[in-house]
Amino acid sequence: MVLEAKNINKHFHLPKDFHVLKDISFGVKQGEFASIMGKSGSGKSTLLYILSTMDTDYTGELYLNRQLITGKSHNELSRIRNKSIGFVFQFHYLLSEFSVLENVMLPAKKLAEKSLAEIEHDAHEKLSMLHIGHLAQQKASRISGGEKQRVAIARALINDPAILMGDEPTGNLDSHNSENVFNIFKRLKEEQGLSLLVVTHDEDFAKRTDRIIEMEDGKIIKH
């Protein structure tokens, strides 16, 4: 198991107590491509933010690479997240005044485990793998929406994470670019054994993943 959640519960306390996640337990195996589906308000994104260690206000236990990460300090979690979890959002969150290459290099510079030359080399490799190597020196503001999402995926992969998580990563894209993103994810699973966990509303996308985890009213009803 790359990622395992055990008895995760979460409450929102304001304006009144609301039990948003109820006793969530499941895992994602090495090289598995899983999707999470459910109506708006079912708790999908809330769960993803807990699984990605961005939200620590919950009860239960979270394991990454069989290591308990619940209860670790803010600094430790920040490092774990940067090193072991790649994240792709619905919006790419690129820094528009930076080049494509600089955007991809950022998380590796923050981790500071490699020399600048090595990071730059890795960034070029990731861009080439996603067929956007020719855009390396372009300003991020000058490329298309589909290209921006691929740059965001390259950035998420720069530290060779154990798992790639996505929150509606195709939600902003047309069908052609959605298909592109799906194929990239599938290739990462098949060629690199990467584990992927993606929240999506897109049924066609979910149906082609290895497993659909269905949520309703803060519970997993099928996984």
Side-chain angles (χ1 to χ4, degrees):
M1 286 284 178
V2 171
L3 181 77
E4 198 170 1
K6 290 186 177 174
N7 311 112
I8 299 282
N9 282 274
K10 177 167 179 73
H11 292 258
F12 288 138
H13 299 291
L14 293 168
K16 59 184 199 314
D17 185 70
F18 176 56
H19 195 175
V20 62
L21 294 177
K22 301 162 186 164
D23 214 29
I24 300 269
S25 296
F26 77 104
V28 179
K29 295 191 189 82
Q30 173 75 47
E32 183 177 27
F33 183 178
S35 51
I36 302 179
M37 290 201 84
K39 294 191 180 81
S40 285
S42 62
K44 304 183 301 295
S45 292
T46 305
L47 175 61
L48 202 64
Y49 280 86
I50 288 172
L51 298 176
S52 66
T53 77
M54 289 189 222
D55 180 355
T56 55
D57 181 21
Y58 63 90
T59 60
E61 292 176 345
L62 184 60
Y63 295 83
L64 188 65
N65 291 329
R66 299 214 158 106
Q67 184 193 8
L68 179 67
I69 54 175
T70 302
K72 288 196 180 290
S73 73
H74 183 69
N75 282 349
E76 278 179 290
L77 287 176
S78 177
R79 184 169 174 76
I80 289 166
R81 186 163 59 240
N82 197 15
K83 188 176 169 64
S84 300
I85 301 171
F87 211 95
V88 182
F89 300 89
Q90 180 170 354
F91 301 100
H92 45 75
Y93 295 115
L94 299 179
L95 298 173
S96 54
E97 70 279 13
F98 281 34
S99 73
V100 161
L101 186 69
E102 288 168 325
N103 269 286
V104 174
M105 288 171 68
L106 279 172
K109 281 169 138 176
K110 189 178 168 198
L111 192 62
E113 282 187 353
K114 293 177 179 170
S115 72
L116 212 51
E118 283 176 297
I119 293 170
E120 190 167 327
H121 172 265
D122 288 354
H124 276 295
E125 261 192 350
K126 299 287 190 256
L127 289 168
S128 297
M129 184 178 83
L130 301 179
H131 308 302
I132 45 172
H134 60 288
L135 298 175
Q137 301 307 330
Q138 288 272 14
K139 281 258 195 294
S141 54
R142 306 292 298 273
I143 61 175
S144 73
E147 289 165 345
K148 282 176 179 158
Q149 196 59 308
R150 275 194 270 173
V151 174
I153 294 168
R155 180 184 58 189
L157 294 172
I158 190 68
N159 290 331
D160 296 316
I163 188 165
L164 185 68
M165 297 185 186
D167 191 11
E168 299 283 356
T170 59
N172 240 10
L173 302 174
D174 60 25
S175 58
H176 169 72
N177 282 308
S178 295
E179 184 65 19
N180 261 342
V181 168
F182 178 85
N183 289 331
I184 288 165
F185 286 174
K186 195 164 187 292
R187 216 171 73 225
L188 289 167
K189 165 205 151 65
E190 287 169 357
E191 292 173 16
Q192 304 195 10
L194 187 64
S195 306
L196 299 107
L197 182 64
V198 176
V199 163
T200 183
H201 273 110
D202 183 342
E203 227 167 289
D204 292 335
F205 184 105
K207 273 183 187 148
R208 294 188 292 161
T209 62
D210 299 333
R211 176 165 61 123
I212 299 175
I213 297 153
E214 275 184 55
M215 290 188 71
E216 195 176 286
D217 300 328
K219 292 196 195 82
I220 287 180
I221 53 168
K222 183 173 151 264
H223 68 87

